[in-house]
Amino acid sequence: MISEIKTISAKKFIGLNLNMSFIDNKTAELWRSFMPRRKDITNTISNDMYSLQVYDENFFSQFNPATEFKKWALVEVTDFNTVPEGMETFDLEGGMYAVFYYKGNPFNAAQVFGYIMKEWLPQSGYVLDNRPHFEVLGEKYKNGSDESEEEIWIPIR
């Protein structure tokens, strides 16, 4: 898996969120509720979608698969002037990220994130930062396909 370090500026998003855990994973439910409404967001920057996770500060150091976190289904927008009813805004602060370019079935996420957190990160010289993690689901993302491509963004310092 190819990776690189990138620093990004702040971004604005609109979308939906759910609280969930790895044991009680509601990702499919979240995206089923978001996808029919994403075209209601009129001030998008691109067709890319973002799957974004907000974890508590000790989430990974005291990992428990039953611990809840907030997961968002989002699109990037130019501003918050028009927010569809029932949707929420999210401001992502800028910062440094390790970006992993993953090609393969999205259902293999546990192995991919295991490699990033247990192998790549400890050997990288970086430490995990307490900011949101996200995946960019662009034109080459195909849910359930071995040919799917996505970017995995891990906050580091």
Side-chain angles (χ1 to χ4, degrees), residues 9-48:
S9 56
K11 295 178 178 287
K12 294 182 180 314
F13 296 101
I14 294 176
L16 299 173
N17 69 77
L18 282 176
N19 288 329
M20 64 183 73
S21 69
F22 288 118
I23 288 176
D24 184 22
N25 190 328
K26 299 176 184 173
T27 301
E29 177 185 338
L30 174 63
W31 284 96
R32 274 194 305 270
S33 65
F34 177 73
M35 289 304 289
R37 300 209 48 222
R38 75 181 181 124
K39 296 292 186 199
D40 296 345
I41 305 168
T42 57
N43 53 339
T44 59
I45 289 180
S46 73
N47 289 327
D48 292 346

Side-chain angles (χ1 to χ4, degrees), residues 9-140:
S9 56
K11 295 178 178 287
K12 294 182 180 314
F13 296 101
I14 294 176
L16 299 173
N17 69 77
L18 282 176
N19 288 329
M20 64 183 73
S21 69
F22 288 118
I23 288 176
D24 184 22
N25 190 328
K26 299 176 184 173
T27 301
E29 177 185 338
L30 174 63
W31 284 96
R32 274 194 305 270
S33 65
F34 177 73
M35 289 304 289
R37 300 209 48 222
R38 75 181 181 124
K39 296 292 186 199
D40 296 345
I41 305 168
T42 57
N43 53 339
T44 59
I45 289 180
S46 73
N47 289 327
D48 292 346
M49 294 177 291
Y50 290 74
S51 179
L52 184 142
Q53 297 74 228
V54 178
Y55 302 108
D56 288 338
E57 186 171 357
N58 297 320
F59 186 88
F60 290 102
S61 62
Q62 300 170 2
F63 183 73
N64 176 339
T67 301
E68 285 198 343
F69 59 93
K70 185 172 284 198
K71 187 166 202 156
W72 291 79
L74 300 161
V75 293
E76 188 176 3
V77 295
T78 55
D79 54 56
F80 295 143
N81 294 339
T82 308
V83 179
E85 186 175 334
M87 291 203 180
E88 296 182 51
T89 63
F90 187 89
D91 276 303
L92 178 70
E93 67 178 277
M96 188 174 6
Y97 282 84
V99 183
F100 298 85
Y101 299 94
Y102 173 66
K103 181 175 182 176
N105 196 314
F107 294 112
N108 296 330
Q111 292 102 342
V112 173
F113 285 98
Y115 161 76
I116 292 169
M117 297 300 195
K118 294 177 184 173
E119 294 181 40
W120 183 89
L121 190 59
Q123 297 171 14
S124 70
Y126 296 100
V127 294
L128 199 58
D129 200 5
N130 187 30
R131 290 180 286 119
H133 299 223
F134 62 91
E135 295 80 48
V136 179
L137 312 176
E139 291 179 9
K140 295 182 180 180

Side-chain angles (χ1 to χ4, degrees), residues 132-149:
H133 299 223
F134 62 91
E135 295 80 48
V136 179
L137 312 176
E139 291 179 9
K140 295 182 180 180
Y141 179 78
K142 298 176 182 78
N143 193 25
S145 169
D146 291 339
E147 298 301 312
S148 184
E149 295 182 35

